[in-house]
Amino acid sequence: MHIAVIGSGGREAALALRLRAEGNTTAQFAAPTGDLASFCGELQALCIELAVIGPEAPLAAGLADALRSVGVATVGPGQGAAQLEASKSWAKGFMARHGVATAPWRAMAVHQAELEAPTCPLPVVVKRDGLCGGKGVSVCRTPAELVAALQQAHDRDGPHALVVLEHLLVGRELSLHALVSDGQCVLLPAAMDHKRLFDQDLGPNTGGMGAVAPLPWCTPQLLADIESEVIAPTLRGLQAENIGYRGVLYFGLMLTRHGPRLLEYNVRFGDPECQVLLPLIATNLANLLMAVARGELRDQPIAVQPGFAAAVVLAAPGYPHAPQLGTIIDIPSIQDLSLAGMQATAAGWQTCAGRVATAVGQGPSLDLALKQAYCRAEPLAAQGLLLRRDIGAKAKPARVAVLASGRGSNLAALIAASSHGILQGLAQIELALFDRGAPGQSVARAAGIATHQLDSTGISPEQWAQCALPLLHQYGIEVVVLAGFARILASTLIAAYPARILNIHPADPVHYVGLHGYRWAFAQQLPATTITVHLVDAGLDSGPILAQEGVDLRGAQSLAQVEARGLQVEHRLYPQTLRNFLLEH
Ligand code: GRF
C-alpha cells in the first residue's frame, strides 16, 4: 500500500516505521501550513492510497476534508469533528449536550473571567479555548495563579477569546484511544502519559515525557464504566449531531473516587502514547487504518499483544522553554529508538527540536518493558539529553505492608480487594507484619504473602521500629496499613512514612480512643457507633481522618453482634478508603 504519514514528530516516526515494517511504501510529510489543495494534489500525484494525519493542527485546518474530497482515504476527522480538540468550550458543550461524565465548568470571555476572578472558588483549572500544543491548561490554587493564567490567555489570545474555567478533579489520569469509524469503535489498551518535565510530576508541562500501556489498574469493571459514562454517550452524540468521524479519538480521563471523568478529547494519537500502543497492536496496522478510513472497521477484528510496552522520551536540555538545538548526538543503535527532533548531518545526528527521541521497550511485565526502554535511552541520556526516571511508577500497584496483631479479618478483606476487587492493580500487599503470634498470620500465609513476626513483648515501640524498618525497606514498602495493630508506632517509623500510614479505629476518636472500641459501645448501649479510617500521627487514634461511616447498633443483643455489624462496615470501608487514598496521593 502507498501510505502518507503526515506530521514530523515521534508519533509519526513510529507510525511510518511500523507501516514500512509491514511492507508498505510509506512516505512521511511535514504537515502543510498553507495551501491544502496543492498538498492534496501532491499526494494524488504520488498515488497515495491512504493518508494518516498525526498532529491536531492540520486536522483543525480541514486537511482530512480536503484529502477526502479528492478521493484519498484518510485517517483523521474532518474540521467539524476536530473541534472536539480545537475548541475546549465547544468540547465541553458537546459533553454537556450528550451526558458525558466530566468536571463542572463554565466558558466565558477572558475579560469576563478577569472580572469574576476575585470571587472565583479555588482551586480552578483555566483552559485556553484553542490549540495550544498541550500547554494551554493551568491549574490555579491561589488567586495569584489565577490572575497569571488569565493574563497569559489575555496576552496570547486577546480579551474576547474564550476560556473554560473548570472544577479541579483529583485522581489518576489515564488515556484511552479508540479507532472510530462512523459509529464503529475499537478500543486500544489503556495508556498513561507523563506530562510534567521532572520526576514526581514536578516542573513545567511538556508534550509528554513517557508512556506505558496497558495499565494494571484499568480493570474490565473500570473499562465498562468508561464505556457507559464516556465513550457510548460520545459516539451517540457524534451520530445525533451528524458529525462523521473516521480517525483516532483519544479520551483523556481522570479516575476519581466517584468514577471516571473525561478531561479532554484529542482527535489523534497521543505522542508518546502512540509509541507504546503500536507495539501492542498485533493486527496488520495498514489494514486496520484502511478500515478506519473506509468505514469498514466492523469487519476488521483487532488482536492485542499480551504484555506491556513503555516509552521514555529524551529531550534537549532547556526543553520545553528554550531547547538547545544543534547538538551532535551519537546514536549507537537507531532501530531501538523512534527519532523525532533529530536530523542527519555530515557531522552525525543533530538535535533540531525539543523532544528528540523516544526509546520504547516491551516485555511480559511492566517492569521488564521499562527496563528495556531505559536501557535503550541510557546512551542518549549519558550525552546530556533529559529524561524522567519515574516513567510508569504510578501505573504499578503501590507496595503495601499490613501490620496486625489479631485475627486478621481486615487483612483478609484487603487481600481480597487487591487480588480481585476494588484495589486490583492499585495495591499489592507485599508484607504482613505481626507483633505477636496471632491467628491472622495464617490468613496472610494462605494468600502467599510474606509474613514476619516481630515479637514486641518487653521492648519499646522504638526498639520494635528498629526491627520493622529494615523489613519494610527490604520489601520496598510505600504504604503501611494498620489492621488491628495493638501497639503505638514509634515516631521514627511514622517519620519514615509521612502521611502514608493508615489505621482503622472502631469508634469516633472524639468519643473514644484506644483498644476495645466495640466493648465500649456495647457497654454504653449506644444506638450507633462510627468506624474511622485515619492517617497515623504520633497520638493515639489521632491523625487526619480519611473516612467515617456510622454503624447501626439498635437491637444488638451481644458484644459479638455489635462486633459483627461493625466489621461488616470495616471490611468495605477500609479497602474503599485505601483505594481513594491511592488514587489521590
Ligand atoms: C478491628 O475492629 C479494627 O477496627 C481494630 O481492630 C480490629 C481488628 O480486627 N483496630 P481484625 O484483626 O482485622 O479482624
Side-chain angles (χ1 to χ4, degrees):
M1 213 185 285
H2 291 308
I3 305 177
V5 174
I6 296 151
S8 36
R11 162 186 52 206
E12 292 81 14
L15 281 164
L17 198 69
R18 166 68 178 262
L19 291 166
R20 257 179 230 129
E22 289 176 357
N24 303 288
T25 334
T26 306
Q28 213 181 318
F29 296 84
T33 45
D35 185 0
L36 297 185
S38 69
F39 181 76
C40 294
E42 197 186 324
L43 295 201
Q44 268 184 309
L46 291 166
C47 300
I48 293 295
E49 300 163 80
L50 177 69
V52 183
I53 305 177
E56 58 278 19
L59 291 164
L63 180 60
D65 305 295
L67 284 166
R68 287 194 183 102
S69 73
V70 298
V72 178
T74 301
V75 176
Q79 192 168 31
Q83 287 188 92
L84 286 173
E85 177 167 1
S87 167
K88 304 296 170 223
S89 60
W90 193 86
K92 291 295 282 194
F94 178 90
M95 294 176 211
R97 288 196 292 284
H98 303 292
V100 176
T102 187
W105 61 285
R106 287 195 311 144
M108 64 188 83
V110 174
H111 66 81
Q112 182 64 32
E114 286 173 324
L115 281 177
E116 293 191 17
T119 56
C120 178
L122 297 173
V124 68
V125 181
V126 175
K127 292 180 171 176
R128 288 164 54 206
D129 195 54
L131 293 180
C132 305
K135 293 161 196 118
V137 176
S138 312
V139 175
C140 307
R141 297 178 195 278
T142 63
E145 284 172 346
L146 177 57
V147 168
L150 293 173
Q151 186 63 50
Q152 192 192 49
H154 190 124
D155 295 345
R156 304 229 167 128
D157 310 324
H160 303 294
L162 287 175
V163 279
V164 170
L165 299 184
E166 191 176 287
H167 183 91
L168 176 71
L169 295 177
V170 187
R172 279 209 198 177
E173 278 191 59
L174 72 150
S175 44
L176 262 189
H177 289 69
L179 300 175
V180 174
S181 188
D182 294 344
Q184 306 156 53
C185 170
V186 170
L187 275 190
L188 301 179
M192 185 189 262
D193 186 12
H194 297 70
K195 280 274 171 233
R196 301 299 192 106
L197 182 65
F198 302 127
D199 285 14
Q200 287 163 15
D201 293 330
L202 299 173
N205 262 329
T206 70
M209 294 301 291
V212 292
L215 304 177
W217 47 269
C218 191
T219 58
Q221 178 58 53
L222 174 56
L223 277 176
D225 292 348
I226 296 172
E227 171 75 39
S228 66
E229 288 171 44
V230 174
I231 298 175
T234 297
L235 297 178
R236 281 198 300 269
L238 289 172
Q239 212 149 25
E241 299 194 14
N242 242 325
I243 301 172
Y245 199 109
R246 292 183 179 183
V248 179
L249 183 52
Y250 165 127
F251 299 88
L253 296 151
M254 181 75 85
L255 175 55
T256 73
R257 60 167 69 201
H258 306 295
R261 300 285 181 271
L262 185 65
L263 296 173
E264 60 170 0
Y265 294 111
N266 286 175
V267 295
R268 34 79 195 178
F269 273 118
D271 181 349
E273 287 99 318
C274 182
Q275 289 89 311
V276 292
L277 292 177
L278 294 183
L280 297 175
I281 300 175
T283 314
N284 180 285
L285 185 69
N287 292 346
L288 194 60
L289 293 178
M290 186 53 108
V292 171
R294 286 196 178 138
E296 293 165 359
L297 198 53
R298 199 166 288 132
D299 312 323
Q300 181 70 49
I302 172 171
V304 171
Q305 203 83 255
F308 295 81
V312 176
V313 169
L314 292 134
Y319 176 75
H321 299 309
Q324 237 175 64
L325 309 181
T327 315
I328 299 292
I329 302 284
D330 177 31
I331 298 178
S333 169
I334 192 167
Q335 58 270 34
D336 294 341
L337 298 165
S338 117
L339 298 181
M342 286 249 184
Q343 61 196 13
T345 69
W349 287 100
Q350 194 176 45
T351 59
C352 63
R355 286 191 294 173
V356 169
T358 313
V360 178
Q362 208 176 344
S365 70
L366 191 49
D367 278 328
L368 287 171
L370 282 162
K371 198 170 164 200
Q372 192 179 54
Y374 275 110
C375 192
R376 291 172 168 173
E378 223 53 77
L380 281 81
Q383 296 174 65
L385 294 181
L386 302 177
L387 51 62
R388 265 179 72 159
R389 290 276 166 201
D390 67 341
I391 300 302
K394 280 251 167 90
K396 294 186 224 170
R399 300 172 70 88
V400 173
V402 177
L403 273 49
S405 314
R407 99 206 106 183
S409 72
N410 277 292
L411 171 62
L414 291 163
I415 293 171
S418 60
S419 81
H420 52 268
I422 59 168
L423 288 170
Q424 202 184 330
L426 285 172
Q428 181 77 35
I429 301 175
E430 298 285 349
L431 174 66
L433 210 48
F434 290 83
D435 67 332
R436 58 169 110 113
Q441 295 197 21
S442 57
V443 173
R445 288 212 181 90
I449 292 169
T451 305
H452 290 263
Q453 188 189 316
L454 293 178
D455 206 333
S456 67
T457 30
I459 61 171
S460 70
E462 183 55 42
Q463 285 166 319
W464 194 85
Q466 289 315 319
C467 303
L469 275 168
L471 271 174
L472 296 174
H473 291 147
Q474 183 193 330
Y475 285 90
I477 298 304
E478 297 161 301
V479 175
V480 176
V481 173
L482 310 186
F485 188 65
R487 274 181 78 86
I488 288 286
L489 288 185
S491 55
T492 347
L493 213 162
I494 295 170
Y497 288 91
R500 298 197 72 83
I501 306 179
L502 281 70
N503 182 40
I504 190 160
H505 176 58
D508 185 332
V510 170
H511 302 303
Y512 184 83
V513 293
L515 298 174
H516 311 304
Y518 292 126
R519 213 176 282 170
W520 162 76
F522 182 62
Q524 305 284 311
Q525 297 283 296
L526 297 180
T529 192
T530 303
I531 308 296
T532 304
V533 180
H534 64 96
L535 290 176
V536 172
D537 64 12
L540 178 60
D541 296 324
S542 58
I545 290 175
L546 298 175
Q548 284 191 308
E549 194 173 315
V551 185
D552 187 352
L553 296 182
R554 284 171 302 177
Q557 302 292 325
S558 63
L559 176 58
Q561 276 183 15
V562 167
E563 215 168 36
R565 288 195 200 174
L567 285 173
Q568 202 184 353
V569 173
E570 289 190 27
H571 298 162
R572 183 172 31 76
L573 187 67
Y574 214 5
Q576 184 65 57
T577 308
L578 179 57
R579 175 184 160 88
N580 293 342
F581 176 81
L582 293 172
L583 287 179
E584 295 173 4
H585 291 88

